[in-house]
Amino acid sequence: MKLPTSQSLGSMFIGAIYAFLTLSTSFPIVYSTDTPKSYYHSLFLSTSLADNASVAHNLYMLTRRPHVAGTEANAETADYVLTTLTSHNINSHIVSYDVALTYPDSRSLTLTPKPGHPPVAFDLRQEIYAGDPYADVASQVMPTFHGFAKSGDVTASVTYANYGQVEDFATLNEMGVNVSGTIVLARYGKVFRGDIVHNAYTAGAVGTIIYSDRKDYGGGGKDAGWFPEAKWLPPTGAQMGNVYTEAGDPTTPGWPSNEGCERRDYEEVERLGIVPAIPSLPVSGADGETIMKSIGGKVADEDWQGSDDAPTYRVGPGPGVLNLNYKAKKTIATIHNVIGMIEGSEEPDRYVILGNHRDAWTFGAVDPNSGTATLLEVVQRLEKLQKKGWKPRRTIIFCSWDAEEYGLIGSTEWVEDNRELLASRAVAYLNVDIAVSGEEYSASATPQLDELLKQAAKQVQDPDNSSQTVYDSWASASSSSPWAAVSSSSPSVKIERLGGGGSDFAAFVQHIGVASLEVTYGGAYPVYHSMYDDFVWMEKFGDPMFRRHIAVASIWGYLALQLADKEILPFNYQSYAKELQRNAEELEDQISNQITVTPLLTSIDALSKAAAKINNEIKVIEETIGWASIVKADFTRVREINDRLMMAERAFLDREGLSGRPWYKHMIYAPAKHNVYGTKYFPGIDDAIEQAKRLNTEESWKVVQHEVWRVSRAINQVTKVLSGELT
């Protein structure tokens, strides 16, 4: 802390006397003798409060049965979370919504390898393994299916389309392969499965089969072994998941699915193209390979091939012919969000929100209940702090979301249900979907939280190497990672951005503009969304000692404490401005021949100056903190700065949303148009550029220029909010 000058001491003394004389008795001067918040924050991180055994127990209890959204088993997990929160003195309740979901009613897949050959009927069943402790409930695992897949009965020759990306279908077209009228076989791994189905439909396919290739999920070959002896996906393992590319209940777009609400009928949803227009089905690696052997035609490129011992991959179409028959059961099911709260002692109307979803396609030991067990560990530690006298300055809210796997439904409905209250009160949203799936720590955030993320990682010991911190290992891994976005304020770590639609942060960032972050250990794991994602896999391969769970809990909770207790919110918009500057320069290199990005660069320059200005204001206050009396004038000034910091993220929104995607209102971050999992900077501009390159007309490039202006106007609004001054 910088000591004040004699001049500033005199000014502070006069100000304190003035405040004493003018303040009403309802707001007296208080010289606090409370234990400083920093003491409790350090205590939260101490090993004395951590409980590996409790984390393991909670994960075990949450994953004893498969618990798909809308089922009785998942309602039981809601009760378990509610009971656990209540037992730790968290004021909690359940919020239920009636939402559209689909389940498999019937399904079959039959292959005729060549004309005249006997058909092969696939049993489409994931096999239990010897000694499987969950064999008695294996029958409760849903038959493999895609949520929101279209019902249909189609018979057609098969075309292989690699990972089903837009560029993969372009390659097929260049090879002279006609996809129209065929069933596409594609492998998981590069883009969201719903985009694979959509891309196949756009290319003219009548159905889609998506399989888990051994090269990606089986360790690369037959000698790698598989679960339970190794971490790899068994040959009969199949990845389930939804194929709906938007967020929230598709029958209530933009409003909550409360009982008796307005609702589109499902037929209208299908007509509008909100859900897939062709049937699809997930299959195992073994079944995918069998289908692959029936495909002739040209040999696929090397990067389209499988593992070394796999058959040669050809693109078709045919001669193999598939009959895909799928019938969906469409229903309105009740889902349950569990909401808990520790009320703030000084600013109860400011919310720091922690969230994790609870529903799973099967047992969900990694996805998502490693996150749920970690959330309960945070809650348990915070109760211990409360018993020692800690009270948060701001309200902390815990959210256990339902139906995330179907399209972020639980979190989206809650955000839509509480939109205006959250828009005016939410400080930040802290998401953990998968807490642990492997060894590598990573983080994502809106850029004003970059510095806070790094600070938190520096406070926590690496769970796999006691001689270093999480930050140390994170920086080491970041140096070799080619795909993560570089933190604008430090080249030493790489922080991803929250533009994709991969988890429950989407409604907070992309719909209502709340600063958000997400942390995790691991990345991809081979048994993802299969019946082998169980407690045994976690205990053997994911986190045998549950130390990584403890590390995530430490970081997650520390972040929440900083945001809940700091007098001035730890936001830094200079990080945001630097990143926008870099992205704008990249954009200029891409399209400078057609349009001007000068409005964008000008708006970012103004934002940078406003960010520096508010940082200087904060510095002045922090230099005097502890010397000035905490009087009403000081409280009001801090509150006003915090409101500017909190509301600035909202100003990145445009009320009309992205063209053709109105639910997504953030002008800086949104899912990639052809990959829900992918993040796009300036998504409206990016969408317009794609169209302009395809049409190459004067009018289409005018649309790009308009989108540049839209983003510029949004950034100008952020500048005004940070400045806190009317024009």
Side-chain angles (χ1 to χ4, degrees):
M1 180 182 71
K2 180 180 177 182
L3 292 176
T5 64
S6 59
Q7 182 179 4
S8 63
L9 278 170
S11 299
M12 288 156 46
F13 179 72
I14 294 171
I17 293 175
Y18 177 79
F20 178 80
L21 294 172
T22 57
L23 284 179
S24 69
T25 56
S26 64
F27 202 101
I29 298 175
V30 177
Y31 294 93
S32 175
T33 59
D34 292 346
T35 304
K37 301 286 191 185
S38 58
Y39 165 78
Y40 295 112
H41 298 180
S42 297
L43 183 59
F44 179 87
L45 297 175
S46 69
T47 56
S48 63
L49 264 63
D51 193 341
N52 303 53
S54 178
V55 172
H57 173 73
N58 284 327
L59 184 61
Y60 174 78
M61 295 298 291
L62 287 161
T63 58
R64 290 184 301 169
R65 296 171 61 192
H67 48 285
V68 176
T71 63
E72 178 186 351
N74 203 42
E76 290 175 1
T77 66
D79 289 337
Y80 181 84
V81 171
L82 178 68
T83 300
T84 305
L85 291 176
T86 303
S87 72
H88 290 302
N89 296 314
I90 303 296
N91 183 16
S92 307
H93 63 282
I94 287 179
V95 182
S96 299
Y97 296 100
D98 297 327
V99 302
L101 300 178
T102 70
Y103 304 106
D105 189 22
S106 64
R107 76 216 208 293
S108 66
L109 185 67
T110 305
L111 171 69
T112 302
K114 291 181 180 179
H117 283 227
V120 177
F122 298 101
D123 63 15
L124 304 175
R125 189 167 57 89
Q126 302 184 83
E127 296 178 357
I128 62 173
Y129 53 88
D132 185 352
Y134 299 101
D136 60 329
V137 293
S139 62
Q140 298 177 25
V141 174
M142 287 268 184
T144 50
F145 78 109
H146 285 148
F148 294 115
K150 181 178 177 60
S151 298
D153 184 356
V154 294
T155 300
S157 57
V158 189
T159 302
Y160 170 53
N162 196 25
Y163 292 104
Q165 304 165 100
V166 170
E167 52 266 40
D168 293 331
F169 285 99
T171 297
L172 288 174
N173 185 58
E174 291 169 3
M175 294 174 69
V177 177
N178 184 7
V179 175
S180 183
T182 69
I183 292 175
V184 162
L185 176 69
R187 49 183 177 175
Y188 280 112
K190 298 294 184 181
V191 297
F192 174 61
R193 69 190 72 80
D195 290 298
I196 298 174
V197 178
H198 176 76
N199 294 340
Y201 167 72
T202 301
V206 296
T208 312
I209 302 296
I210 312 178
Y211 76 103
S212 303
D213 196 296
R214 275 193 291 130
K215 184 177 181 179
D216 301 305
Y217 297 91
K222 293 178 180 177
D223 296 333
W226 53 76
F227 183 69
E229 283 72 34
K231 70 178 183 178
W232 305 105
L233 182 68
T236 64
Q239 180 190 136
M240 290 192 275
N242 88 83
V243 288
Y244 165 53
T245 56
E246 298 189 27
D249 183 346
T251 67
T252 62
W255 64 88
S257 296
N258 296 317
E259 183 179 358
C261 71
E262 177 187 6
R263 190 180 299 277
R264 289 173 172 169
D265 61 56
Y266 201 84
E267 289 68 27
E268 182 182 1
V269 169
E270 289 186 324
R271 285 196 305 272
L272 292 172
I274 297 171
V275 293
I278 56 175
S280 66
L281 201 65
V283 302
S284 68
D287 291 348
E289 196 164 293
T290 298
I291 298 169
M292 187 69 72
K293 290 176 182 177
S294 77
I295 302 176
K298 296 178 180 179
V299 174
D301 291 343
E302 181 61 32
D303 58 351
W304 285 40
Q305 296 296 323
S307 54
D308 291 341
D309 58 350
T312 299
Y313 290 6
R314 297 175 180 272
V315 296
V321 172
L322 278 175
N323 172 249
L324 164 60
N325 188 307
Y326 177 72
K327 184 178 180 182
K329 177 185 177 184
K330 302 164 188 171
T331 187
I332 301 297
T334 301
I335 63 170
H336 309 285
N337 293 335
V338 184
I339 310 295
M341 183 182 300
I342 302 176
E343 188 172 13
S345 59
E346 298 169 68
E347 296 184 77
D349 62 334
R350 291 293 178 262
Y351 305 151
V352 176
I353 306 169
L354 287 73
N356 156 264
H357 79 94
R358 194 186 60 256
D359 65 299
W361 288 112
T362 61
F363 298 98
V366 174
D367 183 8
N369 297 126
S370 63
T372 314
T374 302
L375 181 68
L376 298 179
E377 164 70 7
V378 173
V379 167
Q380 181 172 300
R381 290 199 219 174
L382 292 182
E383 182 199 20
K384 293 174 182 177
L385 291 190
Q386 286 182 289
K387 288 180 177 179
K388 294 182 180 295
W390 167 79
K391 294 179 181 179
R393 178 185 182 93
R394 303 178 185 92
T395 296
I396 298 177
I397 299 175
F398 307 96
C399 302
S400 175
W401 308 118
D402 203 346
E404 186 271 355
E405 295 292 4
Y406 275 88
L408 320 179
I409 291 178
S411 57
T412 298
E413 298 310 309
W414 190 76
V415 167
E416 291 174 346
D417 203 11
N418 298 280
R419 177 171 33 235
E420 300 309 318
L421 204 56
L422 291 171
S424 62
R425 297 185 176 187
V427 170
Y429 174 68
L430 317 181
N431 193 63
V432 170
D433 189 320
I434 296 171
V436 181
S437 65
E439 302 175 353
E440 196 168 292
Y441 177 79
S442 64
S444 312
T446 48
Q448 72 273 60
L449 296 175
D450 283 359
E451 294 302 321
L452 179 61
L453 268 173
K454 290 187 286 183
Q455 177 190 346
K458 290 175 181 178
Q459 308 302 314
V460 178
Q461 186 183 81
D462 186 324
D464 301 306
N465 184 347
S466 59
S467 67
Q468 62 182 17
T469 66
V470 170
Y471 182 87
D472 296 329
S473 58
W474 181 20
S476 177
S478 295
S479 64
S480 60
S481 176
W483 46 265
V486 178
S487 167
S488 57
S489 54
S490 172
S492 59
V493 295
K494 294 180 180 178
I495 299 175
E496 300 168 65
R497 295 301 169 217
L498 298 173
S503 194
D504 292 300
F505 55 76
F508 289 92
V509 177
Q510 299 152 16
H511 191 61
I512 63 171
V514 174
S516 300
L517 58 79
E518 180 173 54
V519 297
T520 185
Y521 256 97
Y525 65 104
V527 298
Y528 175 66
H529 285 188
S530 75
M531 71 174 287
Y532 308 105
D533 179 5
D534 61 17
F535 187 83
V536 175
W537 191 94
M538 177 61 75
E539 197 172 37
K540 289 188 71 172
F541 304 110
D543 192 12
M545 303 300 293
F546 288 86
R547 290 172 181 161
R548 294 171 196 151
H549 284 77
I550 292 298
V552 173
S554 296
I555 291 171
W556 200 4
Y558 182 82
L559 290 164
L561 288 169
Q562 293 291 299
L563 288 161
D565 286 343
K566 284 281 190 181
E567 288 87 351
I568 298 178
L569 294 175
F571 289 2
N572 185 352
Y573 280 89
Q574 285 186 304
S575 297
Y576 226 131
K578 289 177 182 177
E579 179 151 310
L580 292 176
Q581 177 73 26
R582 186 176 63 252
N583 296 333
E585 289 171 355
E586 292 174 0
L587 179 67
E588 185 176 32
D589 291 340
Q590 181 183 359
I591 58 174
S592 59
N593 291 336
Q594 289 87 359
I595 63 169
T596 176
V597 298
T598 299
L600 186 57
L601 294 170
T602 301
S603 67
I604 294 169
D605 182 61
L607 173 61
S608 181
K609 292 174 181 176
K613 179 175 178 290
I614 196 170
N615 282 357
N616 288 334
E617 292 180 62
I618 293 169
K619 184 178 179 181
V620 169
I621 292 176
E622 288 178 340
E623 286 174 345
T624 59
I625 218 164
W627 294 87
S629 302
I630 303 177
V631 295
K632 188 173 183 179
D634 298 314
F635 176 86
T636 302
R637 179 62 175 149
V638 169
R639 173 83 167 198
E640 190 268 342
I641 287 177
N642 282 338
D643 283 353
R644 285 151 58 191
L645 292 168
M646 181 181 75
M647 298 303 292
E649 186 70 34
R650 316 284 197 271
F652 282 116
L653 305 179
D654 185 292
R655 68 186 66 184
E656 295 180 2
L658 300 181
S659 178
R661 299 191 282 167
W663 187 86
Y664 297 101
K665 300 186 182 300
H666 206 287
M667 292 289 100
I668 310 302
Y669 300 116
K673 193 170 185 178
H674 301 293
N675 180 17
V676 168
Y677 287 157
T679 294
K680 277 296 179 184
Y681 300 102
F682 309 137
I685 300 175
D686 189 76
D687 290 352
I689 289 173
E690 180 186 325
Q691 178 169 296
K693 286 183 176 179
R694 186 175 67 253
L695 300 177
N696 199 25
T697 62
E698 182 180 353
E699 190 60 35
S700 65
W701 284 107
K702 283 183 179 178
V703 172
V704 177
Q705 188 69 72
H706 172 66
E707 292 295 336
V708 170
W709 278 109
R710 288 184 74 195
V711 176
S712 304
R713 287 192 286 269
I715 295 173
N716 284 333
Q717 289 299 317
V718 177
T719 297
K720 287 183 171 65
V721 173
L722 281 181
S723 299
E725 299 173 357
L726 291 170
T727 55

